[in-house]
Amino acid sequence: MQKADDVNARISSKLHQLYNSVREEEIPDRFLDLLEKLDAAEKASGRAASE
């Protein structure tokens, strides 16, 4: 069972490294613009539904 634990530990370590590298990447302006448009559309549709 030692080998399975070693493999799992290595996989876990690599996944943490990958997650951290992605988390540190800057979000492209284009993507931020899309998120802002989505947020505005959701707010507008919420107001329209409640009126």
Side-chain angles (χ1 to χ4, degrees):
M1 189 140 179
Q2 178 81 20
K3 287 191 181 223
D5 291 340
D6 289 344
V7 170
N8 287 338
R10 286 196 311 256
I11 290 171
S12 176
S13 175
K14 292 293 183 182
L15 286 173
H16 282 284
Q17 288 174 358
L18 176 62
Y19 174 76
N20 286 333
S21 70
V22 169
R23 196 175 76 182
E24 292 172 0
E25 288 180 13
E26 189 173 322
I27 299 172
D29 289 337
R30 215 172 95 198
F31 189 68
L32 291 173
D33 290 342
L34 287 173
L35 290 174
E36 287 176 10
K37 288 178 183 177
L38 176 61
D39 188 42
E42 287 178 342
K43 287 179 183 177
S45 70
R47 273 190 248 131
S50 65
E51 293 178 355

